[in-house]
């Protein structure tokens, strides 16, 4: 399918209910021309992976402000891999201490966006690093 647009799932794993940033990012993705799905808050890692597979997305963007990113982000990557969907790129964002960044990259996250990152730079990253599936 040559005309397929990049499909993105924006998800809020865990108990974190602060979703303003995720909603703003989902809207920015949509306005940039990506097909965008937002899961809403309080999703389990299994729910996020299942939705990503069902919706055939190219990218999962995880948002977490609860401090549970070291568990939740790698768990989504693991579940996708276990289900044979490791072609779906996973990125994360939120309040992530610098000391945790390398662990998350080593766990399979392809990019991490922390406070101060602009919407334009995140959209540029997507355009430069994600291609829609054929």
């Amino acid at each position: 399918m040559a005309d397929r647009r990049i499909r993105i799932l924006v998800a809020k794993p865990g108990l974190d209910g602060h979703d303003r940033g995720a909603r703003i990012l989902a809207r920015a993705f949509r306005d940039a021309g990506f097909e965008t799905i937002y899961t809403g808050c309080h999703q389990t890692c299994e729910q996020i992976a299942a939705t990503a597979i069902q919706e055939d997305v190219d990218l999962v963007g995880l948002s977490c402000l609860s401090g549970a990113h070291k568990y939740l982000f790698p768990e989504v990557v693991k579940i996708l891999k276990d289900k044979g969907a490791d072609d779906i790129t996973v990125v994360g964002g939120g309040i992530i201490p610098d000391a945790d960044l390398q662990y998350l990259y080593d766990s399979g996250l392809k990019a991490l966006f922390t406070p101060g990152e602009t919407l334009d730079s995140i959209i540029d990253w997507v355009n430069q690093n994600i291609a829609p599936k054929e």
Side-chain angles (χ1 to χ4, degrees):
M1 198 179 322
D3 295 330
R4 187 176 188 269
R5 294 186 296 167
I6 294 172
R7 293 178 60 87
I8 300 174
L9 177 70
V10 176
K12 290 285 297 178
L15 300 176
D16 176 16
H18 299 90
D19 69 340
R20 183 181 302 171
R23 287 185 286 129
I24 289 170
L25 190 57
R27 185 174 182 135
F29 284 153
R30 185 201 67 187
D31 291 348
F34 306 131
E35 291 187 37
T36 307
I37 302 150
Y38 174 52
T39 65
C41 293
H42 309 135
Q43 300 295 301
T44 67
C45 296
E46 292 80 7
Q47 288 172 318
I48 292 167
T51 302
I53 293 167
Q54 180 181 358
E55 295 291 341
D56 194 26
V57 299
D58 305 295
L59 174 70
V60 174
L62 301 172
S63 171
C64 183
L65 299 173
S66 70
H69 52 270
K70 284 181 72 178
Y71 170 74
L72 296 169
F73 290 2
E75 185 67 11
V76 171
V77 172
K78 179 186 176 302
I79 294 169
L80 287 171
K81 183 177 180 181
D82 290 349
K83 293 185 177 289
D86 52 349
D87 61 331
I88 298 173
T89 299
V90 180
V91 300
I95 308 295
I96 302 170
D98 289 345
D100 295 346
L101 295 176
Q102 191 59 54
Y103 172 81
L104 293 170
Y105 284 121
D106 292 345
S107 299
L109 278 288
K110 297 301 182 197
L112 296 162
F113 303 103
T114 55
E117 196 77 45
T118 67
L119 293 172
D120 287 339
S121 68
I122 296 169
I123 290 166
D124 286 346
W125 186 92
V126 172
N127 280 320
Q128 292 173 11
N129 293 283
I130 304 298
K133 294 177 188 169
E134 306 231 351

